[in-house]
Structure formats: structure tokens, C-alpha cells
Amino acid sequence: MHLRRGKIAFVGAPNTTLPLLAIVLIYLANFCPHVCSLATTVPHNASENDRKALLCLRSHLSDPARALVSWGNKSFQFCHWRGVTCSTRHAGRVVALDLESLNITGQIFPCIGDLLFLSRIHMVDNQINGPIPSEIGCLTRLKYLNLSMNSITGVIPDTISSCSRIQVIDLSMNSITGVIPNTISSCSRLEVIDLGYNSITGLIPNTISSCSCLMVIRLLNNSIEGEIPISLAHCSSLQEITFSNNNLNGSIPPGIGLLPRLTFLFLPSNKIEGKIPKSLGSSVSLLRVVLGNNSLTGGIPPMLANCSSLHNLDLMKNKLNGEIPSELFNNPSLITLDLSYNKFMGPIPSSSPIAPKLQYVSLAENNLTGEIPPILERFSSLSSLILAQNKFHGSIPESLTKIPTLTVLDLAYNNLSGAVPPAIYTIKSPTYLGLGDNQLTGRIPSDIAYTLPNIRTLVMEGNHFDGPLPASLVKASNLQVLELRHNAFTGLIPSFWCLPYLTQLDLGANLFEAVDWSSLSSIPSSAQLQAIYLDNNKLHGIIPSSIGNLLKSLQMLFLSENRFTGTIPSEIGKLTNLTVLQIAGNLLSGRIPDALGNLSKLFVLGLSRNKLSGEIPQSIGNFEKLGELYMEENNLSGFQWKYSSLVGCKNLVMLNLSCNGFNGSIPPGLLSIFSLSEGVDLSYNNLNGSIPSQIGSLINLESLNVSNNQLSGEIPHAVGECLHLESLRLEVNFFNGSIPESLMSLRGITEMDLSENNLSGEIPDFFEDFSSLQLLNLSFNSLEGIVPAGGAFSNSSKVFIQGNKDLCTRTPMLQLPLCTAAPTKRKKTLHIISIVVPLATAILVLMSVVTAIISRTEIKQNNILINHSRS
């Protein structure tokens, strides 16, 4: 050992430091390829490591648009590859990846963690899938991460907390699951976090308050639950809070209202309750507050109503009450105000409004009263005024017509009365006029198509309008919805089907007498009509065959409750997109055309209350989507039920064939349509035989009516398997036997009529336990014995048992004789005695014989013993 300049050296000892480091580096290179790169320890390889990392990343991405064709091209230095930016200070080090909207697919591979100088990742609007690699935490210089609008799955890695310099995280519009990691609090420089439109669950971390620089937090359209953290109010830089469409509950923390820079507060479609914080509105930057579709209570705080910076206030669909603050209508900056679907009461504030910017006002579906104040005309910028579904009365103020920019006026569902001011029909640019369900009178002006050239929706239903429809109305070329139902309009229905944009035409429940069918042959191909309601009028004549020229876009056709005659035109079968066809309650005759079978999308077919005859056509079996079939009160007949095509209607929920001339037995297949749930009505026909046992397969059936036929046999036990049955009507048939015990399972029954049959035996006691029973008719049978006294039997208005001569009661009730004895029980007793007495006698005789034999045996044994002892 030598001393050399104060240092100790070991002569002959090898220098082990560098070889040891080399061994460690080799081990990490071979066995930990995805651990954060050690390039910082080997400076001369740094640039090459970045190039390899890019090539690794490229190898796991698919590029159908060849946007990354330059990647890997040896003639290009990788800093010039598309979307790659290198540092100007550190040569050859990648600092940014910008690959937006390039249709790239594949996964972000862990090798991205080797780009140690990366500060920006912007790969928006691609088709990247798979999880975010945990190696993202190796990017300690990362400031901006935007992977929005992709198909990324998995969870947010905890390692993202290692990105201590990150300022923007945008992972919105992906398929990310899991929770927001608590470690996000380590990102102390975070300014924007957007995780919207994913499937994130769990709570908002309380530690979020550690992100003191946070300005924007968006978590909309997830499944996040729990309460809004009180600590969020400590993020004094917050400008936007967007938690829409989650499962958040609890109340809004009061401190949220005190955030000095708060600009946007979006919390709609959650389960938030309680009152709006009194402090909300204190921020001079507050522009938009959207709290709709929650369970908020109380009133609107004065500070919020007086907020001079507020542009948009949406509190719709809550439980807010009280009067509307007058300050809202004097707010100089307010543009939109939506207080609809709440419980506000009282009148519209009538103080002089000075809100020059107000463009949209909706107060619909509240409990507002009084008259509509004429002073609303001072809202000179108003484009939409929606006051529907309140309790306003009086007349429509003519002053509303002085609002020059009004395009939507909805006053429907109030108690307004009197004539509509003529000036209403001359507003310059309305597209929506809703006057329905009031007490308004008058006629539609003859020049309405010219005075309202831009009208798209005209709703005047449920009033007292009368007179003919003006012919000019068919020239309202922009009309999309016309609803004039429940008025007293008369005369001719014009050919509205020629309007190019009309989708819904409702003229039902008026006094129209005829239809102009003449233009059915010239309907423009661009027409979009989907629903026609002409029901409940006085229309007469035949339904023309040209009705088949109506557009295939037509989905609903209502011609019921009129006076149409003739036959059903087979051309209706051309309307192949119909889902509802109602032509009930007319005077139609002849057979049901086979062509109806072409309407394979039908869900409701109503042909009842006509004079139709013949059999049900086999083509009805094509209605695989049919849910409701009504053919009652016709002259339909047929015996070959077993071939009935109705069995092909596998989605029926309601079937009514009552009041026809069907005969033969009930086909078992008909009662095997498991979807039948609302009801089956085969009453008032000529059916015979028994009820098939397949009735038990209709476990969801609510109503069964086979009354007034010629059915016989016993009531099948399987009826008791229809556990949801509420109404059972079997009266006026030839059923015999006793009331089956299985009916005790029908605990929800409200109506049961078994009258006018040949039923015998006793009335079962289980009827006493039917708490929902409102009607039990067992009259005119051959029932006997004691009548139960409890439950519905204690109310004579619910039970009918007359015409059963062998019934009696123990207490005076239902005008029946008192039971002097229980005849049926006496018979049972005598029957039991007749069996038991002979049996007991036989047993006694047998016991006597056995006893005698045993006694004789014992005597013999005793004699033997005596003789033996003597010898």
C-alpha cells in the first residue's frame, strides 16, 4: 500500500467499478427492455435510442392511409418524419408527436416510455386501441397528453403521477374503465383534465385539490358516483367544472360558488339534491350554469339571479319552487333562461324588463298562473318563448306580435281563451306556433300560408276552432308537423300529402266529411310523411285504391271511427313500412285482403267494429312483429282453427277476436304464443270443446275472456299457472266440475266471472284471501255448502252467488238461508263412519282371536310344565 497525495491505493487490486456498471447495464438491456431508458447514462446513444423507440412504436401501429410512410425511411433523419418534432437544444431528442386524424390503428406500445425528452403527445381522432402503457410514467418531461377520440381501453395507469410536469390530460371519447387514480394529486402542475365520454366509475378523488393549478375538469358522460368533493373548492384557479351525465349525488358544495374565476358550471343529469348554493353567482366571470335534470329544491338564490356576467342559466327538470325572481328578467347579460319542468308558481314577473340580450325563455311545465304579461314585448331580441303546460288564463296578448325576432311561440296546455289575435298569424318569421289544448276560438285565416311562409310546426289541437281548413294551407311548403286534432273543423280535408317536408298530419276528432284523394297519384318522391291521423271524423265514401300510392315512408295510418264503406283496398299492402294500421269503427265489408300480409312490420292492426266477413287470411301469419290484433265485432267465421295462421304471430301481446262467428275448438297453438300478456278475448263466438291445457304457458297473461261460447269440460288446473292474471271471464258456457284449487295462485285477480255454467261442489275458502278482488260472480251454477264469510264475501257489492240453490250461510248475508247443518260435512262424516266402524270392528274381532290363541297357548305350556314337574 502506498500513500499518494493523501489517497489510499491498493497496489495490484483491479478496478471493479466500471465492469460492474457494464454488467448492470447489460442485464437491464437484456431483461428489462421496457423499463425507462438509461440513455441519460450513455449520452452518445441517446439519439439512436429515440430512433429505435419510434421504430418500435411504428411496428405496433397500423397505417392504412400510409400517413407514416416516412417513418423508417433511411433517407430521412427521424426528426423529419411526419408528426415528429425534435428539440432545438438537445439535438436528436424527440419532444413532440403530433399525429391527429390519420386513421392510425393499433396500440401504443410500452417503448414510448423510451422517448425521455417527450413533452407533447397529440394523437387525437384515430382508432388506437388497447390500454395506456404504464411506461407513460417514464416521461417525466411530459406536459401535454391528448389521446382523445380513439378506442383506448383499460384503466388510467397510476404511473401517470410520475409525469410531474404535466399540464394537460385529455383522454375523452374512449372506452376507458376503472377509477380516477388517487395519485393524480401528484400532478401538481395539472391545468386541464378531460376524461369525458368513457366508462369510468368510482369517486372523484378528494386529493384532486392538490392540483392547485387546475383550471378545467371535465368528467362528463361516465358512471362516476358519490358526492362532489368539498376540497374541489380549494382549486382557486378553476374556470370550468363539467360533471354532466354521471351518478353523482349529495349537494353542491357551497365553496363552489365562491371560486373567483369560475366561468362554466355543468352538472346536469345526475342525482344531485339540496339547494343551489347561495354564493353561486359571486364570480364576476360566471357565464354558464347548467344544473338541469337533478333533484334540486328551494328557489333561485338572489346572487345567481343578479349575476351581471351570466349568459346562460339552465335549471330545467328539478324540483325548484317559489316565485321566479324578477331580477332574472332585468339581467342585462342573460341570453338563455330555461326553468322548465319545475314547481315554480305565481305570475311571470311584470316589472319593467330591461334584458336586451335575452333570446330564449322556457318556463314550460310549472305551476305559473295569471295572465301572460304584455310587457314581454320589450324583449326585443327574443327568438323563443315557451310557456306551455302552466295555468295561464285570459287572452293571448297582441303585444307578443311586436317581438320582431320571435321564431318559436309555444302557449299550449294552458287555460287561454278567446279569439287568437289576427296579428299572431302575421309574425314575420315564426317556425313553431303552439296554441294547443286551450279554450281558443276562431278560424284559421285563409292566407296563412302567405303570412307564415316559414312555419314548420303548427299545433292548434284541443281548442274550439271551427270552419273549413283554408286551401292555401297546402302551399305552406316548409310545414313539417300539422296538429289540428280535437276541434270542430268541417268540410274537405285538403291533399296535404303533397307537402314535401310534412312528416306528421293529425286531423283526428273533428267534423270533416270528405278527403281530397285526387292528388294521391302525384305525390312527390321527396315527400317524407310518416303519420296520418284522420280518425274520429265523419268521413264517408270508399277508401280509394290509390291510397297505396302514399309513400313507403308512412308508418302510421289512422282511419278509424268514420263512415267509410266498401272493402279494404288490397293496395294498402304496398305501404310496407306501416307499423300501425287502424281502420276500426267503420262500415267496411267483404273479406280481409291477403295483401295485408305484405305489411310485415305491423305492430298494431285494428279492424274491429266493421262488417268484415270470411276467414282470417293465411297471410296474417307473416306478421312476425305484430303485437296487437283487434278484429272484434265483425262477421268473421271459420272452423279450421288448427290451420290458423295466427299461430305464426309469435310476438302478440293482445288478441281480440270477440263478437264474431268463429266455431270449432280453441287451437292449442294459439295459447302457446308465449308473448301474449295484455289479454286474450275470444268471447261471444260459437267455440266448443274444452280450454286447452296450454293456457298454463301464458304465465304473463293479464286478461282471459272466453265467455258466451259453448265451451265445456272442467276448468283446467293450468289456469292457475297464469300468475299475473287480473281478469278471468268464463261465464255463459257449459263448464262443469268443481272450482279448481289451483286458482288459489291468482293472488292479483281483480275480476272473476264463472257464472251461468254447471259448476258444482263448494266455494273454495281461498277466495277470502284475494285482497285485490273487486268482482266475483259465481251465480247460476250448482254450487253447494257454506259460503265463506271473510274477504270480498263481506261486501255484497263484490260477490254474486244467486242461482245456487244449495248454498247457505252461518250469518245473515247475500240474501241466503242460514245453514241449519252442514250437509256436505255431515255426508263426509257418515262416509268416514261407514268406513271406520267396520274397520274398527274387524280390528277388535282380530284382537279377540289373537288373544284367545295366546291364552290357549299359555295354558298348554303351563300344563306341560306341571306334568314335567310331577315326573
Side-chain angles (χ1 to χ4, degrees):
M1 182 177 70
H2 301 279
L3 295 176
R4 188 176 296 174
R5 294 184 182 180
K7 294 183 178 180
I8 300 176
F10 292 89
V11 178
N15 188 344
T16 60
T17 304
L18 290 178
L20 180 62
L21 178 60
I23 292 171
V24 171
L25 289 175
I26 292 170
Y27 174 82
L28 290 175
N30 288 320
F31 297 100
C32 304
H34 301 312
V35 176
C36 301
S37 173
L38 296 174
T40 53
T41 64
V42 192
H44 62 280
N45 286 330
S47 177
E48 179 62 17
N49 282 351
D50 278 15
R51 190 183 74 85
K52 289 181 178 179
L54 289 174
L55 290 175
C56 172
L57 185 64
R58 170 66 183 87
S59 68
H60 292 89
L61 296 175
S62 178
D63 179 27
R66 297 181 57 79
L68 303 181
V69 68
S70 60
W71 286 42
N73 191 331
K74 295 181 179 180
S75 61
F76 287 97
Q77 206 272 340
F78 67 85
C79 289
H80 299 290
W81 292 352
R82 183 172 182 174
V84 178
T85 302
C86 290
S87 173
T88 55
R89 292 178 56 194
H90 304 278
R93 305 313 303 267
V94 177
V95 295
L97 293 176
D98 288 276
L99 303 171
E100 180 176 354
S101 302
L102 299 180
N103 198 27
I104 297 172
T105 63
Q107 298 185 11
I108 300 175
F109 207 64
C111 50
I112 197 170
D114 293 335
L115 299 171
L116 297 181
F117 274 69
L118 204 58
S119 64
R120 174 184 170 87
I121 300 176
H122 185 79
M123 301 177 73
V124 176
D125 189 23
N126 285 288
Q127 299 180 45
I128 298 171
N129 53 52
I132 300 171
S134 59
E135 286 76 6
I136 198 80
C138 297
L139 305 179
T140 56
R141 297 172 184 260
L142 193 65
K143 296 180 179 180
Y144 176 93
L145 174 63
N146 193 338
L147 302 176
S148 61
M149 301 174 66
N150 280 286
S151 301
I152 295 172
T153 57
V155 301
I156 301 171
D158 287 335
T159 55
I160 202 167
S161 60
S162 300
C163 303
S164 57
R165 299 185 187 182
I166 199 156
Q167 298 173 356
V168 175
I169 299 176
D170 190 346
L171 306 177
S172 60
M173 302 182 73
N174 280 286
S175 300
I176 296 172
T177 56
V179 301
I180 302 171
N182 284 315
T183 54
I184 198 77
S185 59
S186 299
C187 303
S188 57
R189 300 184 187 182
L190 189 64
E191 296 178 0
V192 176
I193 180 168
D194 190 345
L195 306 178
Y197 296 96
N198 280 286
S199 299
I200 297 171
T201 57
L203 309 176
I204 301 173
N206 281 312
T207 55
I208 196 73
S209 58
S210 300
C211 303
S212 56
C213 299
L214 195 62
M215 294 188 291
V216 176
I217 178 169
R218 298 191 188 110
L219 307 177
L220 67 159
N221 285 80
N222 280 285
S223 299
I224 299 170
E225 55 192 14
E227 299 187 5
I228 300 172
I230 297 175
S231 61
L232 195 62
H234 299 155
C235 301
S236 57
S237 298
L238 265 177
Q239 299 175 17
E240 178 184 339
I241 301 174
T242 301
F243 295 160
S244 317
N245 293 296
N246 279 285
N247 295 315
L248 296 172
N249 52 38
S251 58
I252 302 172
I256 295 292
L258 297 173
L259 290 169
R261 300 180 183 178
L262 188 63
T263 305
F264 303 107
L265 178 62
F266 297 96
L267 306 177
S269 299
N270 280 284
K271 300 174 182 178
I272 299 171
E273 53 191 12
K275 296 183 177 181
I276 300 172
K278 293 180 179 180
S279 57
L280 188 60
S282 60
S283 170
V284 295
S285 304
L286 193 61
L287 295 177
R288 299 187 66 187
V289 174
V290 181
L291 308 178
N293 200 19
N294 280 289
S295 298
L296 296 170
T297 55
I300 300 174
M303 190 167 289
L304 182 59
N306 281 303
C307 183
S308 59
S309 61
L310 193 62
H311 286 179
N312 307 98
L313 179 60
D314 184 350
L315 305 177
M316 67 177 293
K317 292 187 178 179
N318 278 285
K319 300 176 182 178
L320 299 170
N321 52 36
E323 294 192 355
I324 298 174
S326 59
E327 292 85 354
L328 282 175
F329 289 92
N330 292 294
N331 193 313
S333 62
L334 199 60
I335 297 174
T336 65
L337 174 64
D338 194 341
L339 307 180
S340 59
Y341 300 93
N342 278 285
K343 298 180 180 180
F344 291 111
M345 59 186 67
I348 295 177
S350 57
S351 58
S352 179
I354 53 170
K357 296 182 179 180
L358 200 57
Q359 298 176 11
Y360 179 93
V361 174
S362 179
L363 308 178
E365 199 157 325
N366 280 283
N367 295 315
L368 300 174
T369 56
E371 297 187 355
I372 298 173
I375 207 165
L376 292 178
E377 68 178 271
R378 298 190 183 181
F379 293 131
S380 57
S381 300
L382 199 63
S383 62
S384 296
L385 178 61
I386 304 172
L387 306 178
Q389 293 180 282
N390 280 285
K391 299 177 181 178
F392 294 118
H393 63 262
S395 58
I396 300 173
E398 191 168 354
S399 58
L400 293 180
T401 64
K402 298 179 181 179
I403 304 174
T405 54
L406 198 62
T407 59
V408 175
L409 177 62
D410 192 353
L411 308 177
Y413 293 93
N414 281 287
N415 294 317
L416 301 173
S417 57
V420 178
I424 288 289
Y425 299 110
T426 61
I427 300 175
K428 292 183 179 180
S429 55
T431 59
Y432 186 106
L433 179 58
L435 306 175
D437 282 275
N438 283 285
Q439 305 295 323
L440 300 170
T441 59
R443 298 189 172 190
I444 298 178
S446 59
D447 58 350
I448 187 171
Y450 308 108
T451 58
L452 298 178
N454 299 314
I455 194 71
R456 296 177 184 174
T457 302
L458 180 60
V459 180
M460 303 177 72
E461 63 179 356
N463 282 285
H464 302 296
F465 296 115
D466 57 18
L469 295 183
S472 69
L473 198 54
V474 298
K475 297 181 180 179
S477 57
N478 292 306
L479 198 61
Q480 297 176 8
V481 176
L482 179 61
E483 295 187 3
L484 305 179
R485 189 179 193 82
H486 282 295
N487 279 286
F489 292 113
T490 58
L492 180 72
I493 295 177
S495 54
F496 289 110
W497 20 86
C498 291
L499 291 172
Y501 303 112
L502 190 66
T503 60
Q504 181 168 318
L505 173 66
D506 191 348
L507 305 178
N510 279 283
L511 302 173
F512 292 113
E513 299 172 353
V515 183
D516 181 5
W517 303 108
S518 61
S519 60
L520 283 175
S521 58
S522 57
I523 298 177
S525 59
S526 60
Q528 304 173 22
L529 199 56
Q530 297 177 10
I532 298 176
Y533 300 84
L534 305 182
D535 57 290
N536 289 276
N537 279 284
K538 296 183 178 180
L539 303 174
H540 57 269
I542 64 169
I543 301 174
S545 59
S546 57
I547 198 168
N549 294 331
L550 286 170
L551 293 171
K552 289 186 177 180
S553 60
L554 193 65
Q555 298 176 18
M556 292 185 282
L557 178 60
F558 288 77
L559 303 176
S560 52
E561 309 303 331
N562 281 287
R563 300 174 183 175
F564 289 117
T565 56
T567 60
I568 300 174
S570 59
E571 285 78 5
I572 284 184
K574 296 179 180 179
L575 306 177
T576 53
N577 281 309
L578 276 182
T579 59
V580 178
L581 175 60
Q582 279 282 12
I583 52 179
N586 282 285
L587 302 172
L588 298 170
S589 58
R591 292 177 172 269
I592 300 172
D594 286 335
L596 286 188
N598 297 329
L599 307 179
S600 58
K601 296 182 180 180
L602 268 187
F603 180 76
V604 177
L605 175 59
L607 306 178
S608 55
R609 299 188 305 283
N610 279 286
K611 297 181 179 181
L612 300 172
S613 58
E615 297 183 356
I616 298 174
Q618 293 293 314
S619 61
I620 296 294
N622 297 336
F623 295 158
E624 293 184 359
K625 297 182 179 180
L626 192 66
E628 300 176 18
L629 178 59
Y630 303 95
M631 293 185 171
E632 71 270 20
E633 297 185 44
N634 280 287
N635 297 318
L636 298 172
S637 60
F639 177 76
Q640 296 176 342
W641 277 81
K642 62 180 179 179
Y643 303 115
S644 175
S645 60
L646 292 180
V647 177
C649 303
K650 295 298 184 181
N651 289 297
L652 270 181
V653 295
M654 178 67 195
L655 173 64
N656 193 337
L657 303 178
S658 63
C659 301
N660 278 285
F662 294 113
N663 50 30
S665 59
I666 300 174
L670 189 64
L671 300 183
S672 299
I673 303 176
F674 304 133
S675 57
L676 281 168
S677 56
E678 290 186 12
V680 174
D681 192 344
L682 306 177
S683 62
Y684 290 94
N685 280 286
N686 298 314
L687 302 176
N688 53 40
S690 60
I691 298 177
S693 60
Q694 284 80 359
I695 186 67
S697 64
L698 305 183
I699 59 175
N700 294 311
L701 190 65
E702 296 176 359
S703 174
L704 174 63
N705 189 349
V706 294
S707 65
N708 292 274
N709 280 285
Q710 300 174 34
L711 299 170
S712 58
E714 295 187 353
I715 299 173
H717 291 275
V719 173
E721 297 173 19
C722 303
L723 300 180
H724 293 275
L725 208 59
E726 297 177 6
S727 175
L728 176 62
R729 297 191 57 182
L730 309 180
E731 73 268 20
V732 194
N733 279 287
F734 298 102
F735 293 116
N736 54 41
S738 60
I739 298 173
E741 289 290 325
S742 64
L743 296 189
M744 73 169 60
S745 301
L746 307 181
R747 296 293 179 177
I749 198 81
T750 60
E751 175 188 37
M752 183 182 294
D753 193 339
L754 309 180
S755 63
E756 298 190 52
N757 281 285
N758 297 319
L759 299 174
S760 58
E762 295 186 344
I763 299 176
D765 290 337
F766 59 73
F767 282 132
E768 293 179 305
D769 300 327
F770 285 6
S771 57
S772 301
L773 195 61
Q774 299 298 315
L775 173 66
L776 176 62
N777 192 348
L778 305 176
S779 59
F780 299 102
N781 279 285
S782 299
L783 300 171
E784 59 185 1
I786 301 174
V787 177
F793 291 93
S794 61
N795 188 337
S796 60
S797 64
K798 295 182 178 181
V799 177
F800 299 89
I801 55 176
Q802 65 270 26
N804 292 278
K805 61 182 180 179
D806 291 329
L807 290 176
C808 64
T809 63
R810 288 175 177 167
T811 57
M813 61 179 292
L814 301 174
Q815 300 179 350
L816 291 175
L818 292 175
C819 298
T820 56
T824 55
K825 290 185 179 179
R826 188 186 305 119
K827 290 178 181 178
K828 288 182 180 179
T829 303
L830 292 174
H831 181 63
I832 291 172
I833 291 172
S834 65
I835 295 174
V836 171
V837 170
L839 182 61
T841 303
I843 292 172
L844 288 173
V845 171
L846 181 60
M847 289 178 64
S848 300
V849 171
V850 171
T851 302
I853 292 172
I854 292 173
S855 297
R856 290 179 180 179
T857 303
E858 289 179 350
I859 292 170
K860 286 182 179 181
Q861 289 177 348
N862 290 333
N863 291 333
I864 293 170
L865 289 174
I866 291 170
N867 294 329
H868 181 71
S869 63
R870 285 179 181 178
S871 62

